[in-house]
Amino acid sequence: MKTQNVSQKMISSHLISGEMTPGTEIGLKIDQVLLQDATGTLVMLELEAFNLNKIKPEVAVQYVDHNLLQTDYKNMDDHLFLQSAAARFGFWFSRPGNGISHVVHMERFGRPGKTLLGSDSHTPAGGGIGMLAIGTGGLDVALASAGEPYFVKMPKVMGIKLVGKLPDWVSAKDVILEMLRRYDVTGGRGYILEYYGPGLKSLSAWDRHVIANMGTETGATTSVFPSDEITLEFLKQEGREDEWMKLEADEGATYDLNIEINLSELEPLIALPGSPGNVVPVREVSGLKINQVVIGSSANPGLRDFWITSQILKGEVISPDVSFDINPSSRQVLENLTEMGALGPLIAAGGRLHQSGCMGCIGMGQAPATNTISLRTMPRNFPGRSGTLDDQIYLCSPETAAASAITGKITDPRELEILMNMAYPKWIEPSQIKISKKMLIAPNEESPELIKGPNIKTLPNFEQLPDKLEIPILLKMGDDISTDGILKAGADVLPLRSNIPELSKYAYYAIDESFYDRAIENQKLHTGFCVIAGNNYAQGSSREHAALSPRYLGQKFAIAKSYARIGWQNLINFGIIPFEFKNPADWDKLEQGDILQIEGLRIAIKNREAVTATVIGKNIEIPLIYNISERQVEHILQGGVINFVKQK
Ligand code: SF4
């Protein structure tokens, strides 16, 4: 039999349809699903629209980690709705404050060799313990919850050979920042990043989680580590060693692309504001004055990550100019930090302790001050994500964060050896930890009514695709537009995620504050609108609201030079056609306000034929292409997947 790498083994053992030829559509059996609250409310409304009885996967968990602030009734309305929906459809329910989805999932449910589909783009963190874990839009997770396969284009596999051993003051975050330094936010597109080699021995399961989690930022479909002795040690620590299986690449297995990282040669790295791909060595920006340091998030969630900051800050006081915020990643981590005496030094040094969850990572609190630098151990720094529109967020390791919190300036942690005569604290993985399960509610056979407070609005209905369109370009955008740009993040917006009419007021807000008013005005004049964009459109989070809200306002299609995977899928799911420029240079010919006309659209889509848009009054024709599967044709024609399922 042909030798296989780990990714190929997991795909072939879950393949329901298609062939494993890169770029072609495959259908995968999904063993586990996870939802977080910011996307989960919609998924539950979709399951209601499907009229589903009980969900099908082996494990399904609804987490509440994103919208934890209770400044009015809205988030709490969502929490109650989610708890009732979890019970109604058969999900586990992880109560508010129990921790970040990816962290609790790895602690309690993740299992080597299984597939996991999550309505959160950092779901690939599960790859740290040998899962095939993919992040996608909520509608795909709703379908998987109903027992349908997950369809995705067969990725290529990038084999990343790790050799050497990380030097002192350099940790797992620097490994993934090195990947981003090399590949930026698009270099992983169409790939699974599979790690192997002798360097793996020195990376714990949580180190691997850090690397797999933030692999999402390269645009990769997912990241995969083997399941080895270190995975077994992790499962033992969690009291789940019986769930271990060995999963390694066959001797002589090959990869579509081969790269190598010598861990011994890495140094502390940092991503500059604006994009996780803007990576430079910390020493190049050291000395810049900072105003805030935030530790935690699913990108640095393990006990070690908090412990190391605690060791560095022990007996110190943070700079008077710095707010030092601690976001515990899970209740279990918090309980263990307390028990091992690692929380005390963080508090004594001046740390501000928040509840377990995403918090500042998704702009739910901890928004930085205007024109100041915030240093974070988080995975993303797209403009405005923090809740401050002109923010300056730098991403780094816990070591760099702790060193900088003391000095008040961006500091290469290696400098602590000279500045404070400090040796690098050596972490030894504990063989046993305290297990915390109390805040998980198991599914049962009952089917209670859904509790819908005033913040929960039933999903809007959408019309089918028309045959002729004559609509304006309401927004022209450049490259790398993120879903944070398409739909604003932050504490004022997130609580509206189960209320599409209200949420839509923030569509494209971070790019053009007047967009909503123009969209409403446009509704009086035209039957819809379109937008145009450059490369890598809709990168970033998995939120389907970034397709649903523009759709609600009347968006019929987008034309981009290229798309990020999840964003592209979400557009199709909600009946927005993701056109691409046949000639990318045509982007320059189009202007905001141009009226585009397309005729014979339904027939063309049905036959998957190319389409031409005519610019009214300008004598310009723009040839458009799109790459949708036969299965997706019906979704577009029906006006989205919900209509399609209802029709079925
Ligand atoms: Fe939460 Fe941030 Fe992790 Fe997303 S990346 S799951 S917002 S902690």
Side-chain angles (χ1 to χ4, degrees), residues 330-444:
S330 76
R331 184 167 290 270
Q332 180 170 301
V333 164
L334 192 52
E335 286 185 31
N336 280 283
L337 287 173
T338 312
E339 209 135 285
M340 66 170 61
L343 193 61
L346 291 173
I347 305 292
R352 299 169 63 187
L353 183 63
H354 300 274
Q355 60 182 312
S356 309
C358 301
M359 307 306 296
C361 184
I362 190 66
M364 291 303 276
Q366 299 144 280
T370 313
N371 280 328
T372 61
I373 290 180
S374 171
L375 205 59
R376 301 176 167 210
T377 63
M378 293 159 176
R380 286 198 174 131
N381 58 353
F382 297 128
R385 177 178 169 90
S386 66
T388 300
L389 272 182
D390 56 355
D391 56 15
Q392 295 175 51
I393 310 290
Y394 289 66
L395 308 174
C396 64
S397 70
E399 285 86 343
T400 303
S404 307
I406 296 173
T407 61
K409 297 177 286 194
I410 294 180
T411 302
D412 184 323
R414 294 173 298 185
E415 285 182 32
L416 293 178
E417 292 193 354
I418 297 161
L419 287 175
M420 294 169 53
N421 199 19
M422 185 185 282
Y424 186 52
K426 292 279 180 228
W427 165 254
I428 298 171
E429 202 63 54
S431 55
Q432 269 205 324
I433 56 165
K434 193 166 186 260
I435 308 296
S436 176
K437 304 182 191 173
K438 296 178 292 287
M439 304 296 276
L440 283 168
I441 301 175
N444 60 39

Side-chain angles (χ1 to χ4, degrees), residues 44-103:
M44 295 303 189
L45 291 168
E46 286 156 4
L47 293 181
E48 184 191 26
F50 294 171
N51 211 6
L52 185 80
N53 185 17
K54 289 281 180 191
I55 50 105
K56 302 284 193 295
E58 295 164 14
V59 174
V61 193
Q62 169 67 64
Y63 295 93
V64 181
D65 54 4
H66 276 57
N67 298 351
L68 295 177
L69 299 180
Q70 286 175 224
T71 53
D72 65 17
Y73 65 93
K74 295 191 200 75
N75 283 343
M76 198 55 201
D77 267 13
D78 281 357
H79 301 172
L80 286 178
F81 168 66
L82 288 173
Q83 186 163 353
S84 71
R88 164 76 187 78
F89 298 117
F91 288 76
W92 284 82
F93 184 67
S94 175
R95 298 179 61 186
N98 193 39
I100 302 168
S101 61
H102 314 302
V103 183

Side-chain angles (χ1 to χ4, degrees), residues 28 51 83 186 212 215 219 228 299 323 361 380 429 482 500 531 560 568 584:
L28 292 172
N51 211 6
Q83 186 163 353
T186 55
D228 55 12
S323 168
C361 184
R380 286 198 174 131
E429 202 63 54
S482 74
I500 301 305
V531 300
W568 174 82

